[in-house]
PDB file of all heavy atoms in Angstrom:
ATOM      1  N   GLU I   1     121.981  73.837  12.565  1.00  0.00           N
ATOM      2  CA  GLU I   1     121.852  74.000  11.120  1.00  0.00           C
ATOM      3  C   GLU I   1     121.018  72.869  10.519  1.00  0.00           C
ATOM      4  O   GLU I   1     120.161  73.096   9.663  1.00  0.00           O
ATOM      5  CB  GLU I   1     123.235  74.023  10.474  1.00  0.00           C
ATOM      6  CG  GLU I   1     123.204  74.338   8.988  1.00  0.00           C
ATOM      7  CD  GLU I   1     124.592  74.373   8.389  1.00  0.00           C
ATOM      8  OE1 GLU I   1     125.519  73.781   8.976  1.00  0.00           O
ATOM      9  OE2 GLU I   1     124.744  74.976   7.318  1.00  0.00           O
ATOM     10  N   VAL I   2     121.280  71.649  10.994  1.00  0.00           N
ATOM     11  CA  VAL I   2     120.536  70.489  10.477  1.00  0.00           C
ATOM     12  C   VAL I   2     119.057  70.600  10.805  1.00  0.00           C
ATOM     13  O   VAL I   2     118.188  70.254   9.998  1.00  0.00           O
ATOM     14  CB  VAL I   2     121.123  69.180  11.051  1.00  0.00           C
ATOM     15  CG1 VAL I   2     120.185  68.002  10.786  1.00  0.00           C
ATOM     16  CG2 VAL I   2     122.495  68.907  10.452  1.00  0.00           C
ATOM     17  N   ASN I   3     118.746  71.111  11.988  1.00  0.00           N
ATOM     18  CA  ASN I   3     117.361  71.146  12.461  1.00  0.00           C
ATOM     19  C   ASN I   3     116.744  72.539  12.428  1.00  0.00           C
ATOM     20  O   ASN I   3     115.780  72.814  13.135  1.00  0.00           O
ATOM     21  CB  ASN I   3     117.301  70.589  13.887  1.00  0.00           C
ATOM     22  CG  ASN I   3     117.702  69.125  13.948  1.00  0.00           C
ATOM     23  OD1 ASN I   3     116.915  68.234  13.678  1.00  0.00           O
ATOM     24  ND2 ASN I   3     118.959  68.876  14.296  1.00  0.00           N
ATOM     25  N   SER I   4     117.314  73.406  11.609  1.00  0.00           N
ATOM     26  CA  SER I   4     116.810  74.775  11.548  1.00  0.00           C
ATOM     27  C   SER I   4     115.414  74.824  10.939  1.00  0.00           C
ATOM     28  O   SER I   4     115.089  74.067  10.022  1.00  0.00           O
ATOM     29  CB  SER I   4     117.768  75.627  10.711  1.00  0.00           C
ATOM     30  OG  SER I   4     117.359  76.959  10.676  1.00  0.00           O
ATOM     31  N   HIS I   5     114.585  75.720  11.473  1.00  0.00           N
ATOM     32  CA  HIS I   5     113.210  75.924  10.995  1.00  0.00           C
ATOM     33  C   HIS I   5     112.417  74.614  10.934  1.00  0.00           C
ATOM     34  O   HIS I   5     111.919  74.223   9.874  1.00  0.00           O
ATOM     35  CB  HIS I   5     113.213  76.595   9.621  1.00  0.00           C
ATOM     36  CG  HIS I   5     113.907  77.908   9.576  1.00  0.00           C
ATOM     37  ND1 HIS I   5     113.345  79.059  10.097  1.00  0.00           N
ATOM     38  CD2 HIS I   5     115.127  78.269   9.088  1.00  0.00           C
ATOM     39  CE1 HIS I   5     114.185  80.070   9.920  1.00  0.00           C
ATOM     40  NE2 HIS I   5     115.266  79.616   9.320  1.00  0.00           N
ATOM     41  N   PRO I   6     112.288  73.929  12.051  1.00  0.00           N
ATOM     42  CA  PRO I   6     111.600  72.625  12.045  1.00  0.00           C
ATOM     43  C   PRO I   6     110.123  72.707  11.668  1.00  0.00           C
ATOM     44  O   PRO I   6     109.529  71.690  11.304  1.00  0.00           O
ATOM     45  CB  PRO I   6     111.781  72.138  13.490  1.00  0.00           C
ATOM     46  CG  PRO I   6     111.966  73.378  14.290  1.00  0.00           C
ATOM     47  CD  PRO I   6     112.725  74.315  13.407  1.00  0.00           C
ATOM     48  N   ASP I   7     109.523  73.905  11.775  1.00  0.00           N
ATOM     49  CA  ASP I   7     108.118  74.043  11.370  1.00  0.00           C
ATOM     50  C   ASP I   7     107.968  74.071   9.855  1.00  0.00           C
ATOM     51  O   ASP I   7     106.854  73.920   9.327  1.00  0.00           O
ATOM     52  CB  ASP I   7     107.518  75.314  11.967  1.00  0.00           C
ATOM     53  CG  ASP I   7     108.275  76.563  11.545  1.00  0.00           C
ATOM     54  OD1 ASP I   7     109.526  76.484  11.438  1.00  0.00           O
ATOM     55  OD2 ASP I   7     107.636  77.601  11.299  1.00  0.00           O
ATOM     56  N   ILE I   8     109.085  74.265   9.146  1.00  0.00           N
ATOM     57  CA  ILE I   8     109.062  74.333   7.684  1.00  0.00           C
ATOM     58  C   ILE I   8     109.728  73.101   7.052  1.00  0.00           C
ATOM     59  O   ILE I   8     109.200  72.497   6.109  1.00  0.00           O
ATOM     60  CB  ILE I   8     109.784  75.592   7.177  1.00  0.00           C
ATOM     61  CG1 ILE I   8     109.199  76.853   7.827  1.00  0.00           C
ATOM     62  CG2 ILE I   8     109.723  75.687   5.657  1.00  0.00           C
ATOM     63  CD1 ILE I   8     107.778  77.146   7.428  1.00  0.00           C
ATOM     64  N   PHE I   9     110.894  72.757   7.613  1.00  0.00           N
ATOM     65  CA  PHE I   9     111.727  71.722   7.003  1.00  0.00           C
ATOM     66  C   PHE I   9     111.888  70.512   7.917  1.00  0.00           C
ATOM     67  O   PHE I   9     111.830  70.624   9.136  1.00  0.00           O
ATOM     68  CB  PHE I   9     113.125  72.274   6.688  1.00  0.00           C
ATOM     69  CG  PHE I   9     113.138  73.436   5.744  1.00  0.00           C
ATOM     70  CD1 PHE I   9     113.139  74.741   6.228  1.00  0.00           C
ATOM     71  CD2 PHE I   9     113.164  73.248   4.376  1.00  0.00           C
ATOM     72  CE1 PHE I   9     113.171  75.823   5.364  1.00  0.00           C
ATOM     73  CE2 PHE I   9     113.193  74.329   3.503  1.00  0.00           C
ATOM     74  CZ  PHE I   9     113.195  75.617   3.995  1.00  0.00           C
ATOM     75  N   LYS I  10     112.196  69.410   7.300  1.00  0.00           N
ATOM     76  CA  LYS I  10     112.685  68.247   8.018  1.00  0.00           C
ATOM     77  C   LYS I  10     114.207  68.377   8.125  1.00  0.00           C
ATOM     78  O   LYS I  10     114.803  69.256   7.486  1.00  0.00           O
ATOM     79  CB  LYS I  10     112.270  66.972   7.277  1.00  0.00           C
ATOM     80  CG  LYS I  10     110.760  66.732   7.336  1.00  0.00           C
ATOM     81  CD  LYS I  10     110.379  65.403   6.708  1.00  0.00           C
ATOM     82  CE  LYS I  10     108.871  65.172   6.833  1.00  0.00           C
ATOM     83  NZ  LYS I  10     108.449  63.879   6.225  1.00  0.00           N
ATOM     84  N   PRO I  11     114.874  67.541   8.944  1.00  0.00           N
ATOM     85  CA  PRO I  11     116.330  67.678   9.110  1.00  0.00           C
ATOM     86  C   PRO I  11     117.071  67.787   7.776  1.00  0.00           C
ATOM     87  O   PRO I  11     116.815  67.028   6.844  1.00  0.00           O
ATOM     88  CB  PRO I  11     116.708  66.404   9.873  1.00  0.00           C
ATOM     89  CG  PRO I  11     115.499  66.117  10.694  1.00  0.00           C
ATOM     90  CD  PRO I  11     114.334  66.485   9.813  1.00  0.00           C
ATOM     91  N   ASN I  12     117.967  68.739   7.729  1.00  0.00           N
ATOM     92  CA  ASN I  12     118.806  69.060   6.570  1.00  0.00           C
ATOM     93  C   ASN I  12     118.053  69.792   5.458  1.00  0.00           C
ATOM     94  O   ASN I  12     118.669  70.213   4.466  1.00  0.00           O
ATOM     95  CB  ASN I  12     119.476  67.810   5.981  1.00  0.00           C
ATOM     96  CG  ASN I  12     120.594  67.297   6.865  1.00  0.00           C
ATOM     97  OD1 ASN I  12     121.485  68.045   7.252  1.00  0.00           O
ATOM     98  ND2 ASN I  12     120.539  66.017   7.206  1.00  0.00           N
ATOM     99  N   GLY I  13     116.768  69.971   5.629  1.00  0.00           N
ATOM    100  CA  GLY I  13     115.997  70.650   4.598  1.00  0.00           C
ATOM    101  C   GLY I  13     116.409  72.097   4.416  1.00  0.00           C
ATOM    102  O   GLY I  13     116.619  72.563   3.285  1.00  0.00           O
ATOM    103  N   PHE I  14     116.551  72.829   5.524  1.00  0.00           N
ATOM    104  CA  PHE I  14     116.933  74.238   5.404  1.00  0.00           C
ATOM    105  C   PHE I  14     118.351  74.377   4.857  1.00  0.00           C
ATOM    106  O   PHE I  14     118.634  75.291   4.073  1.00  0.00           O
ATOM    107  CB  PHE I  14     116.824  74.945   6.748  1.00  0.00           C
ATOM    108  CG  PHE I  14     117.295  76.370   6.691  1.00  0.00           C
ATOM    109  CD1 PHE I  14     116.539  77.339   6.047  1.00  0.00           C
ATOM    110  CD2 PHE I  14     118.512  76.749   7.249  1.00  0.00           C
ATOM    111  CE1 PHE I  14     116.976  78.655   5.961  1.00  0.00           C
ATOM    112  CE2 PHE I  14     118.954  78.063   7.173  1.00  0.00           C
ATOM    113  CZ  PHE I  14     118.181  79.017   6.532  1.00  0.00           C
ATOM    114  N   ARG I  15     119.250  73.494   5.272  1.00  0.00           N
ATOM    115  CA  ARG I  15     120.622  73.534   4.747  1.00  0.00           C
ATOM    116  C   ARG I  15     120.614  73.457   3.224  1.00  0.00           C
ATOM    117  O   ARG I  15     121.312  74.216   2.550  1.00  0.00           O
ATOM    118  CB  ARG I  15     121.450  72.378   5.306  1.00  0.00           C
ATOM    119  CG  ARG I  15     121.814  72.480   6.773  1.00  0.00           C
ATOM    120  CD  ARG I  15     122.631  71.280   7.200  1.00  0.00           C
ATOM    121  NE  ARG I  15     123.891  71.222   6.475  1.00  0.00           N
ATOM    122  CZ  ARG I  15     124.479  70.093   6.048  1.00  0.00           C
ATOM    123  NH1 ARG I  15     123.876  68.929   6.233  1.00  0.00           N
ATOM    124  NH2 ARG I  15     125.622  70.135   5.420  1.00  0.00           N
ATOM    125  N   LEU I  16     119.837  72.526   2.700  1.00  0.00           N
ATOM    126  CA  LEU I  16     119.778  72.354   1.252  1.00  0.00           C
ATOM    127  C   LEU I  16     119.115  73.552   0.578  1.00  0.00           C
ATOM    128  O   LEU I  16     119.649  74.102  -0.402  1.00  0.00           O
ATOM    129  CB  LEU I  16     119.019  71.077   0.912  1.00  0.00           C
ATOM    130  CG  LEU I  16     118.776  70.803  -0.581  1.00  0.00           C
ATOM    131  CD1 LEU I  16     120.100  70.752  -1.342  1.00  0.00           C
ATOM    132  CD2 LEU I  16     117.985  69.507  -0.763  1.00  0.00           C
ATOM    133  N   PHE I  17     117.985  73.981   1.102  1.00  0.00           N
ATOM    134  CA  PHE I  17     117.265  75.086   0.473  1.00  0.00           C
ATOM    135  C   PHE I  17     118.092  76.370   0.522  1.00  0.00           C
ATOM    136  O   PHE I  17     118.163  77.109  -0.473  1.00  0.00           O
ATOM    137  CB  PHE I  17     115.922  75.310   1.162  1.00  0.00           C
ATOM    138  CG  PHE I  17     115.092  76.372   0.516  1.00  0.00           C
ATOM    139  CD1 PHE I  17     114.369  76.104  -0.640  1.00  0.00           C
ATOM    140  CD2 PHE I  17     115.037  77.663   1.045  1.00  0.00           C
ATOM    141  CE1 PHE I  17     113.606  77.097  -1.260  1.00  0.00           C
ATOM    142  CE2 PHE I  17     114.284  78.651   0.432  1.00  0.00           C
ATOM    143  CZ  PHE I  17     113.562  78.359  -0.726  1.00  0.00           C
ATOM    144  N   ASN I  18     118.733  76.637   1.634  1.00  0.00           N
ATOM    145  CA  ASN I  18     119.528  77.861   1.763  1.00  0.00           C
ATOM    146  C   ASN I  18     120.737  77.825   0.831  1.00  0.00           C
ATOM    147  O   ASN I  18     121.132  78.857   0.264  1.00  0.00           O
ATOM    148  CB  ASN I  18     119.986  78.026   3.215  1.00  0.00           C
ATOM    149  CG  ASN I  18     120.474  79.429   3.513  1.00  0.00           C
ATOM    150  OD1 ASN I  18     119.848  80.412   3.152  1.00  0.00           O
ATOM    151  ND2 ASN I  18     121.616  79.521   4.181  1.00  0.00           N
ATOM    152  N   PHE I  19     121.329  76.654   0.661  1.00  0.00           N
ATOM    153  CA  PHE I  19     122.451  76.509  -0.269  1.00  0.00           C
ATOM    154  C   PHE I  19     121.978  76.795  -1.698  1.00  0.00           C
ATOM    155  O   PHE I  19     122.667  77.479  -2.466  1.00  0.00           O
ATOM    156  CB  PHE I  19     123.037  75.101  -0.181  1.00  0.00           C
ATOM    157  CG  PHE I  19     124.293  74.915  -0.982  1.00  0.00           C
ATOM    158  CD1 PHE I  19     125.530  75.143  -0.410  1.00  0.00           C
ATOM    159  CD2 PHE I  19     124.235  74.514  -2.311  1.00  0.00           C
ATOM    160  CE1 PHE I  19     126.705  74.974  -1.152  1.00  0.00           C
ATOM    161  CE2 PHE I  19     125.396  74.351  -3.065  1.00  0.00           C
ATOM    162  CZ  PHE I  19     126.629  74.578  -2.483  1.00  0.00           C
ATOM    163  N   LEU I  20     120.821  76.280  -2.038  1.00  0.00           N
ATOM    164  CA  LEU I  20     120.253  76.535  -3.368  1.00  0.00           C
ATOM    165  C   LEU I  20     119.982  78.024  -3.582  1.00  0.00           C
ATOM    166  O   LEU I  20     120.282  78.579  -4.644  1.00  0.00           O
ATOM    167  CB  LEU I  20     118.957  75.744  -3.528  1.00  0.00           C
ATOM    168  CG  LEU I  20     119.095  74.233  -3.726  1.00  0.00           C
ATOM    169  CD1 LEU I  20     117.763  73.528  -3.473  1.00  0.00           C
ATOM    170  CD2 LEU I  20     119.613  73.911  -5.124  1.00  0.00           C
ATOM    171  N   MET I  21     119.453  78.666  -2.549  1.00  0.00           N
ATOM    172  CA  MET I  21     119.130  80.092  -2.660  1.00  0.00           C
ATOM    173  C   MET I  21     120.397  80.937  -2.826  1.00  0.00           C
ATOM    174  O   MET I  21     120.392  81.967  -3.513  1.00  0.00           O
ATOM    175  CB  MET I  21     118.349  80.550  -1.437  1.00  0.00           C
ATOM    176  CG  MET I  21     116.966  79.942  -1.318  1.00  0.00           C
ATOM    177  SD  MET I  21     115.835  80.499  -2.627  1.00  0.00           S
ATOM    178  CE  MET I  21     115.467  82.152  -2.063  1.00  0.00           C
ATOM    179  N   LYS I  22     121.478  80.524  -2.185  1.00  0.00           N
ATOM    180  CA  LYS I  22     122.710  81.310  -2.242  1.00  0.00           C
ATOM    181  C   LYS I  22     123.537  81.026  -3.495  1.00  0.00           C
ATOM    182  O   LYS I  22     124.314  81.884  -3.925  1.00  0.00           O
ATOM    183  CB  LYS I  22     123.566  81.027  -1.002  1.00  0.00           C
ATOM    184  CG  LYS I  22     122.988  81.601   0.284  1.00  0.00           C
ATOM    185  CD  LYS I  22     123.904  81.309   1.459  1.00  0.00           C
ATOM    186  CE  LYS I  22     123.372  81.942   2.743  1.00  0.00           C
ATOM    187  NZ  LYS I  22     124.249  81.644   3.901  1.00  0.00           N
ATOM    188  N   ASN I  23     123.373  79.840  -4.069  1.00  0.00           N
ATOM    189  CA  ASN I  23     124.276  79.438  -5.145  1.00  0.00           C
ATOM    190  C   ASN I  23     123.604  79.138  -6.489  1.00  0.00           C
ATOM    191  O   ASN I  23     124.290  79.104  -7.512  1.00  0.00           O
ATOM    192  CB  ASN I  23     125.073  78.200  -4.712  1.00  0.00           C
ATOM    193  CG  ASN I  23     125.947  78.456  -3.507  1.00  0.00           C
ATOM    194  OD1 ASN I  23     127.025  79.010  -3.620  1.00  0.00           O
ATOM    195  ND2 ASN I  23     125.468  78.055  -2.330  1.00  0.00           N
ATOM    196  N   HIS I  24     122.300  78.913  -6.475  1.00  0.00           N
ATOM    197  CA  HIS I  24     121.647  78.499  -7.722  1.00  0.00           C
ATOM    198  C   HIS I  24     120.365  79.276  -8.017  1.00  0.00           C
ATOM    199  O   HIS I  24     119.481  78.767  -8.701  1.00  0.00           O
ATOM    200  CB  HIS I  24     121.337  77.000  -7.675  1.00  0.00           C
ATOM    201  CG  HIS I  24     122.565  76.141  -7.583  1.00  0.00           C
ATOM    202  ND1 HIS I  24     123.411  75.937  -8.654  1.00  0.00           N
ATOM    203  CD2 HIS I  24     123.090  75.453  -6.531  1.00  0.00           C
ATOM    204  CE1 HIS I  24     124.408  75.148  -8.275  1.00  0.00           C
ATOM    205  NE2 HIS I  24     124.237  74.839  -6.997  1.00  0.00           N
TER     206      HIS I  24
END
């Protein structure tokens, strides 16, 4: 989860973006 989509995000980036997409 921390390293998901490394071609797009740096560590924890996808976690944060996905949380924003689901909740905000």
Side-chain angles (χ1 to χ4, degrees):
E1 186 179 21
V2 167
N3 296 278
S4 183
H5 302 285
D7 58 323
I8 305 294
F9 300 94
K10 291 185 178 180
N12 287 308
F14 176 72
R15 289 180 63 217
L16 176 58
F17 184 79
N18 196 46
F19 187 91
L20 286 164
M21 293 293 285
K22 289 181 177 179
N23 298 280
H24 297 286

